[in-house]
Amino acid sequence: MITIAKNYLSIQEKVSAFEAKYARDPGSVKLIAVSKGRSSEEIELAFNLGQRDFAENYLQEFLDKREALKNFPMEWHFIGRIQSNKTREIAENFAWVESVDREKIASRLNEQRPKILPKLNVCIEVNISRDPNKTGVFEEEVLRLASVISGFENLKFRGLMTILHESKNAEMQRADFQKMKKIFEQVKNKGFEVDTLSMGMSGDFEEAIAAGSTQIRIGQAIFGKRPALHSPVL
Ligand SMILES: *Cc1c(COP(=O)(O)O)cnc(C)c1O
Protein backbone atom coordinates (compact mmCIF):
# COMPACT_ATOMS: atom_id res chain seq x y z
CA MET A 1 0.00 0.00 0.00
CA ILE A 2 2.86 2.34 0.83
CA THR A 3 4.34 1.21 -2.47
CA ILE A 4 1.35 2.56 -4.36
CA ALA A 5 1.82 5.96 -2.74
CA LYS A 6 5.53 5.94 -3.56
CA ASN A 7 4.94 4.83 -7.12
CA TYR A 8 2.23 7.41 -7.60
CA LEU A 9 4.41 10.29 -6.43
CA SER A 10 7.26 9.03 -8.55
CA ILE A 11 5.07 8.91 -11.70
CA GLN A 12 3.82 12.42 -11.05
CA GLU A 13 7.39 13.64 -10.71
CA LYS A 14 8.41 11.88 -13.92
CA VAL A 15 5.49 13.34 -15.85
CA SER A 16 6.47 16.85 -14.72
CA ALA A 17 10.11 16.20 -15.54
CA PHE A 18 9.25 14.89 -19.04
CA GLU A 19 6.95 17.83 -19.70
CA ALA A 20 9.90 20.11 -18.96
CA LYS A 21 12.42 17.98 -20.87
CA TYR A 22 10.30 17.90 -24.04
CA ALA A 23 9.08 21.50 -23.88
CA ARG A 24 5.51 20.53 -23.10
CA ASP A 25 3.34 22.90 -21.06
CA PRO A 26 3.25 22.08 -17.34
CA GLY A 27 0.10 20.06 -16.64
CA SER A 28 -0.54 19.28 -20.32
CA VAL A 29 -0.24 15.52 -19.81
CA LYS A 30 -3.09 13.95 -17.87
CA LEU A 31 -2.46 10.78 -15.86
CA ILE A 32 -5.04 7.99 -16.11
CA ALA A 33 -4.68 5.16 -13.59
CA VAL A 34 -5.37 1.81 -15.25
CA SER A 35 -6.97 -0.32 -12.55
CA LYS A 36 -7.74 -3.59 -14.33
CA GLY A 37 -6.94 -6.53 -12.09
CA ARG A 38 -6.84 -4.26 -9.02
CA SER A 39 -9.06 -4.36 -5.97
CA SER A 40 -11.45 -1.59 -5.01
CA GLU A 41 -9.20 -1.00 -1.96
CA GLU A 42 -6.20 -0.32 -4.17
CA ILE A 43 -8.29 2.01 -6.31
CA GLU A 44 -9.53 3.84 -3.23
CA LEU A 45 -5.96 4.30 -2.11
CA ALA A 46 -5.03 5.96 -5.40
CA PHE A 47 -8.15 8.10 -5.12
CA ASN A 48 -7.06 9.23 -1.68
CA LEU A 49 -3.71 10.27 -3.14
CA GLY A 50 -5.64 12.61 -5.44
CA GLN A 51 -6.14 10.48 -8.54
CA ARG A 52 -9.53 11.03 -10.22
CA ASP A 53 -9.34 9.37 -13.66
CA PHE A 54 -9.35 5.58 -13.75
CA ALA A 55 -9.50 3.16 -16.67
CA GLU A 56 -10.83 -0.37 -16.93
CA ASN A 57 -10.73 -3.00 -19.69
CA TYR A 58 -13.32 -5.55 -18.60
CA LEU A 59 -16.92 -4.56 -18.03
CA GLN A 60 -17.91 -7.23 -15.52
CA GLU A 61 -14.81 -6.73 -13.40
CA PHE A 62 -15.53 -3.01 -13.39
CA LEU A 63 -19.18 -3.48 -12.39
CA ASP A 64 -18.15 -5.76 -9.52
CA LYS A 65 -15.74 -3.15 -8.13
CA ARG A 66 -17.87 -0.16 -8.93
CA GLU A 67 -20.40 -1.11 -6.27
CA ALA A 68 -17.78 -0.58 -3.53
CA LEU A 69 -16.65 2.70 -5.10
CA LYS A 70 -19.96 4.26 -6.02
CA ASN A 71 -19.66 7.12 -3.54
CA PHE A 72 -16.32 8.26 -4.91
CA PRO A 73 -16.49 10.94 -7.61
CA MET A 74 -14.15 9.27 -10.06
CA GLU A 75 -14.13 9.63 -13.81
CA TRP A 76 -14.14 6.21 -15.47
CA HIS A 77 -12.59 5.48 -18.87
CA PHE A 78 -13.33 2.30 -20.79
CA ILE A 79 -10.22 1.18 -22.71
CA GLY A 80 -10.93 -2.47 -23.54
CA ARG A 81 -12.23 -4.40 -26.50
CA ILE A 82 -15.94 -3.68 -26.95
CA GLN A 83 -18.46 -6.40 -27.73
CA SER A 84 -21.67 -5.02 -29.14
CA ASN A 85 -23.83 -6.74 -26.52
CA LYS A 86 -21.97 -4.79 -23.79
CA THR A 87 -22.43 -1.30 -25.17
CA ARG A 88 -25.47 -0.43 -23.07
CA GLU A 89 -23.73 -0.94 -19.75
CA ILE A 90 -20.65 0.83 -21.03
CA ALA A 91 -22.75 3.79 -22.21
CA GLU A 92 -24.49 3.92 -18.84
CA ASN A 93 -21.46 3.59 -16.56
CA PHE A 94 -18.49 5.36 -18.12
CA ALA A 95 -17.60 8.99 -18.79
CA TRP A 96 -15.15 8.06 -21.55
CA VAL A 97 -14.82 5.27 -24.09
CA GLU A 98 -11.37 5.38 -25.66
CA SER A 99 -11.46 2.15 -27.66
CA VAL A 100 -14.08 2.85 -30.33
CA ASP A 101 -12.98 1.33 -33.62
CA ARG A 102 -16.15 0.78 -35.60
CA GLU A 103 -19.27 2.63 -36.60
CA LYS A 104 -21.63 0.02 -35.21
CA ILE A 105 -20.19 0.43 -31.71
CA ALA A 106 -20.29 4.24 -31.92
CA SER A 107 -23.89 4.09 -33.09
CA ARG A 108 -24.98 1.80 -30.25
CA LEU A 109 -23.17 3.91 -27.64
CA ASN A 110 -24.94 6.98 -29.00
CA GLU A 111 -28.37 5.33 -28.85
CA GLN A 112 -27.79 3.89 -25.40
CA ARG A 113 -26.17 6.87 -23.67
CA PRO A 114 -28.77 8.05 -21.12
CA LYS A 115 -29.96 11.56 -21.98
CA ILE A 116 -29.70 12.66 -18.36
CA LEU A 117 -25.92 12.13 -18.44
CA PRO A 118 -23.40 14.44 -20.13
CA LYS A 119 -22.33 13.39 -23.60
CA LEU A 120 -20.11 10.32 -23.65
CA ASN A 121 -16.49 11.29 -24.41
CA VAL A 122 -15.17 9.13 -27.21
CA CYS A 123 -11.73 8.46 -28.68
CA ILE A 124 -11.00 6.45 -31.80
CA GLU A 125 -8.53 3.67 -31.22
CA VAL A 126 -5.88 3.60 -33.95
CA ASN A 127 -3.94 0.46 -34.83
CA ILE A 128 -0.82 2.42 -35.67
CA SER A 129 1.40 -0.64 -36.02
CA ARG A 130 -1.12 -2.20 -38.46
CA ASP A 131 -0.98 -5.46 -36.55
CA PRO A 132 -3.83 -7.66 -37.83
CA ASN A 133 -4.25 -9.19 -34.36
CA LYS A 134 -4.78 -5.83 -32.67
CA THR A 135 -7.88 -3.74 -32.27
CA GLY A 136 -8.19 -0.24 -33.66
CA VAL A 137 -8.70 1.27 -37.10
CA PHE A 138 -5.94 1.81 -39.63
CA GLU A 139 -4.93 5.44 -40.03
CA GLU A 140 -6.68 5.84 -43.38
CA GLU A 141 -10.02 5.04 -41.69
CA VAL A 142 -9.73 7.68 -38.96
CA LEU A 143 -11.36 10.65 -40.71
CA ARG A 144 -14.41 8.71 -41.84
CA LEU A 145 -15.08 7.33 -38.35
CA ALA A 146 -14.42 10.80 -36.90
CA SER A 147 -17.19 12.22 -39.11
CA VAL A 148 -19.58 9.50 -38.05
CA ILE A 149 -18.91 10.01 -34.34
CA SER A 150 -19.13 13.79 -34.61
CA GLY A 151 -22.59 13.42 -36.12
CA PHE A 152 -23.95 11.61 -33.05
CA GLU A 153 -25.71 13.89 -30.58
CA ASN A 154 -24.93 11.91 -27.41
CA LEU A 155 -21.23 11.46 -28.12
CA LYS A 156 -18.43 13.99 -27.86
CA PHE A 157 -15.49 13.18 -30.12
CA ARG A 158 -12.38 13.94 -28.05
CA GLY A 159 -9.48 12.45 -30.02
CA LEU A 160 -7.34 9.39 -30.63
CA MET A 161 -5.97 6.52 -28.58
CA THR A 162 -3.34 3.91 -29.37
CA ILE A 163 -1.55 0.96 -27.78
CA LEU A 164 1.93 0.07 -29.03
CA HIS A 165 3.66 -3.26 -29.28
CA GLU A 166 5.53 -4.04 -26.10
CA SER A 167 8.46 -5.43 -28.02
CA LYS A 168 9.42 -2.28 -29.86
CA ASN A 169 12.53 -0.36 -28.88
CA ALA A 170 12.38 3.28 -27.82
CA GLU A 171 13.25 4.57 -31.27
CA MET A 172 10.48 2.58 -32.98
CA GLN A 173 8.06 3.58 -30.25
CA ARG A 174 8.86 7.19 -30.84
CA ALA A 175 8.32 6.82 -34.59
CA ASP A 176 4.85 5.29 -34.04
CA PHE A 177 3.94 7.97 -31.50
CA GLN A 178 5.06 10.66 -33.92
CA LYS A 179 2.83 9.12 -36.60
CA MET A 180 -0.07 9.32 -34.15
CA LYS A 181 0.69 12.96 -33.47
CA LYS A 182 0.62 13.67 -37.21
CA ILE A 183 -2.76 11.98 -37.62
CA PHE A 184 -4.05 13.91 -34.61
CA GLU A 185 -2.97 17.19 -36.26
CA GLN A 186 -4.64 16.13 -39.52
CA VAL A 187 -7.87 15.48 -37.64
CA LYS A 188 -7.64 18.96 -36.10
CA ASN A 189 -6.88 20.52 -39.46
CA LYS A 190 -10.06 18.98 -40.86
CA GLY A 191 -11.96 21.05 -38.30
CA PHE A 192 -12.66 18.44 -35.63
CA GLU A 193 -12.40 19.99 -32.18
CA VAL A 194 -10.31 17.36 -30.44
CA ASP A 195 -8.06 17.75 -27.42
CA THR A 196 -7.04 14.22 -26.50
CA LEU A 197 -4.16 12.15 -27.79
CA SER A 198 -4.19 9.16 -25.45
CA MET A 199 -0.92 7.26 -25.72
CA GLY A 200 1.81 6.01 -23.42
CA MET A 201 1.74 3.20 -20.84
CA SER A 202 4.10 2.15 -18.04
CA GLY A 203 6.82 1.04 -20.44
CA ASP A 204 6.73 3.82 -23.01
CA PHE A 205 5.28 7.01 -21.57
CA GLU A 206 8.44 9.05 -21.91
CA GLU A 207 8.45 8.54 -25.68
CA ALA A 208 4.72 9.27 -25.79
CA ILE A 209 5.11 12.56 -23.91
CA ALA A 210 8.03 13.49 -26.18
CA ALA A 211 5.78 12.98 -29.21
CA GLY A 212 2.86 15.01 -27.88
CA SER A 213 0.64 12.70 -25.83
CA THR A 214 -1.98 14.55 -23.75
CA GLN A 215 -3.05 11.54 -21.73
CA ILE A 216 -1.00 8.59 -20.49
CA ARG A 217 -2.60 5.38 -19.22
CA ILE A 218 -0.51 3.90 -16.42
CA GLY A 219 -1.22 0.64 -14.62
CA GLN A 220 1.76 -1.33 -13.38
CA ALA A 221 4.01 1.66 -12.70
CA ILE A 222 1.43 2.80 -10.14
CA PHE A 223 -0.02 -0.42 -8.74
CA GLY A 224 2.92 -2.77 -9.20
CA LYS A 225 3.09 -5.82 -11.40
CA ARG A 226 -0.35 -6.94 -12.41
CA PRO A 227 -1.59 -10.26 -11.04
CA ALA A 228 -2.65 -12.68 -13.77
CA LEU A 229 -6.04 -11.48 -14.96
CA HIS A 230 -9.08 -13.68 -15.03
CA SER A 231 -10.45 -14.68 -18.39
CA PRO A 232 -9.76 -12.02 -21.02
CA VAL A 233 -13.38 -12.40 -22.14
CA LEU A 234 -15.73 -9.70 -20.86
C1 LIG B 1 -3.44 -2.43 -19.42
C2 LIG B 1 -3.50 -1.23 -20.29
C3 LIG B 1 -2.76 -0.07 -20.00
C4 LIG B 1 -1.78 0.03 -18.85
O1 LIG B 1 -0.68 -0.80 -19.05
P1 LIG B 1 0.52 -0.80 -17.95
O2 LIG B 1 1.61 -1.51 -18.65
O3 LIG B 1 0.01 -1.53 -16.78
O4 LIG B 1 0.83 0.61 -17.66
C5 LIG B 1 -2.93 1.05 -20.80
N1 LIG B 1 -3.78 1.03 -21.86
C6 LIG B 1 -4.49 -0.05 -22.18
C7 LIG B 1 -5.40 0.00 -23.35
C8 LIG B 1 -4.37 -1.22 -21.42
O5 LIG B 1 -5.09 -2.30 -21.76
Side-chain angles (χ1 to χ4, degrees):
M1 289 296 161
I2 291 172
T3 332
I4 293 179
K6 269 212 226 147
N7 290 346
Y8 186 67
L9 292 178
S10 156
I11 286 286
Q12 285 183 316
E13 279 168 13
K14 282 183 183 152
V15 170
S16 299
F18 294 151
E19 283 171 348
K21 180 173 174 188
Y22 298 106
R24 303 286 313 276
D25 289 338
S28 59
V29 180
K30 187 169 170 183
L31 174 61
I32 312 295
V34 176
S35 49
K36 62 169 173 248
R38 303 295 167 176
S39 66
S40 53
E41 290 79 11
E42 289 171 297
I43 296 170
E44 190 178 332
L45 203 122
F47 178 90
N48 288 333
L49 294 167
Q51 181 63 23
R52 290 295 174 270
D53 287 85
F54 291 85
E56 290 278 344
N57 293 58
Y58 307 108
L59 179 66
Q60 193 53 54
E61 180 194 330
F62 164 78
L63 292 172
D64 293 345
K65 292 188 290 198
R66 161 81 164 209
E67 195 47 34
L69 295 164
K70 62 174 184 254
N71 295 323
F72 295 90
M74 293 152 170
E75 186 130 305
W76 290 102
H77 298 235
F78 191 81
I79 57 171
R81 197 182 274 260
I82 307 172
Q83 295 174 345
S84 53
N85 63 346
K86 304 289 163 119
T87 51
R88 180 175 301 279
E89 280 177 299
I90 293 173
E92 288 173 353
N93 287 286
F94 286 81
W96 288 73
V97 181
E98 300 197 12
S99 43
V100 172
D101 66 357
R102 49 198 205 278
E103 180 172 345
K104 180 183 172 194
I105 295 297
S107 168
R108 290 176 67 93
L109 291 170
N110 177 57
E111 277 164 29
Q112 295 166 345
R113 178 66 169 178
K115 297 265 187 222
I116 51 159
L117 294 179
K119 290 185 184 195
L120 182 62
N121 297 295
V122 164
C123 293
I124 294 174
E125 184 181 339
V126 183
N127 183 353
I128 197 67
S129 49
R130 307 184 80 84
D131 178 342
N133 299 316
K134 291 233 158 162
T135 49
V137 299
F138 290 153
E139 57 184 289
E140 60 273 21
E141 300 167 271
V142 169
L143 288 174
R144 197 196 59 82
L145 187 53
S147 301
V148 169
I149 291 170
S150 300
F152 285 139
E153 59 177 350
N154 300 318
L155 305 184
K156 187 166 169 46
F157 178 42
R158 297 296 296 266
L160 309 178
M161 185 272 262
T162 199
I163 310 165
L164 295 196
H165 276 289
E166 280 163 28
S167 58
K168 292 199 167 179
N169 64 37
E171 204 175 310
M172 289 162 86
Q173 286 167 349
R174 201 169 292 204
D176 277 349
F177 286 142
Q178 282 167 352
K179 264 193 235 163
M180 283 295 298
K181 170 71 171 171
K182 225 170 120 186
I183 301 165
F184 184 58
E185 292 305 322
Q186 283 165 359
V187 168
K188 278 189 183 169
N189 290 338
K190 290 283 178 189
F192 295 103
E193 287 175 16
V194 289
D195 59 7
T196 302
L197 181 53
S198 177
M199 57 187 197
M201 314 193 343
S202 294
D204 58 17
F205 68 97
E206 175 170 3
E207 285 72 28
I209 290 173
S213 168
T214 69
Q215 180 175 293
I216 57 174
R217 308 178 310 271
I218 306 293
Q220 302 188 77
I222 295 174
F223 295 108
K225 199 167 155 45
R226 210 163 12 248
L229 290 176
H230 57 69
S231 140
V233 182
L234 299 178

